[in-house]
Amino acid sequence: MSLSPGFSGRRGFDTSRLPPGQYPTHDFPVPQQDVTTDLHCVTRWSKFDTRWRGVSLDTLLADAETAADFVIAHCHGGYTTNLPLEDVLDGQAWIVHEYDGFPLSPEHGGPARLLVPHLYLWKSAKWVRGLTLSPVDEPGFWEAAGYHNHGDPWREQRTWQD
Ligand SMILES: Nc1nc2c(c(=O)[nH]1)N[C@H]1C(S)=C(S)[C@@H](COP(=O)(O)O)O[C@H]1N2
Ligand SMILES: [Mo]
């Protein structure tokens, strides 16, 4: 049997393949999460137990140092929506890319959409291409058109009059 010089039986891999400061992994280390949640649309339907897979905004923003209090989601096609930062942290929001075990279809926002299930579904921006952290709140597409700035379905925050 011939082994390459760096082979380590104990560590189970060829150490000569590893650049300095690296460690080998079998998983992709970005922690994906499976989320099962209810959705509430302002047009009055609710859908229970929807299943998604993605990365939480806690993870995505973990290394962001910011004094900003607001997040603006920007989408392909120009759609935007605004959220307080406190509504997207602590396990409340994800960038998801799978629905019901399959890659998210374009119709429902694929390749990736924001999922913020505790707010009305217009906040769950489809075809998301970026998140901006902002010190000032900026109403997004529907918010500027008269929908409620926050959109909590449990407080029935449908329009700016609510
Ligand atoms: N980019 C983008 N995201 C969007 C919208 C949109 O028009 N464009 N509509 C919102 C609204 S009003 C709703 S109700 C949901 C619909 O999501 P669905 O098509 O997966 O049911 O997406 C939200 N996200
Ligand atoms: Mo909607």
Side-chain angles (χ1 to χ4, degrees), residues 39-43 45 52 75-80 104 107-109 113 120-128 141-142 147:
L39 304 179
H40 307 289
C41 179
V42 72
T43 60
W45 55 265
W52 307 84
C75 302
H76 295 285
Y79 186 87
T80 56
L104 187 56
E107 182 190 357
H108 292 294
R113 80 182 291 170
Y120 281 127
L121 201 54
W122 85 76
K123 296 285 187 182
S124 293
K126 303 195 276 190
W127 315 296
V128 69
F141 178 81
W142 283 119
Y147 282 30

Side-chain angles (χ1 to χ4, degrees), residues 42-95:
V42 72
T43 60
R44 299 184 184 272
W45 55 265
S46 290
K47 187 172 164 65
F48 297 148
D49 301 323
T50 61
R51 292 175 51 235
W52 307 84
R53 185 169 172 79
V55 178
S56 73
L57 264 62
D58 297 296
T59 298
L60 291 173
L61 298 177
D63 295 329
E65 280 180 36
T66 180
D69 287 324
F70 301 95
V71 180
I72 319 288
H74 300 267
C75 302
H76 295 285
Y79 186 87
T80 56
T81 191
N82 58 314
L83 303 126
L85 190 59
E86 63 178 29
D87 274 275
V88 301
L89 298 178
D90 299 322
Q92 297 185 96
W94 296 263
I95 298 290

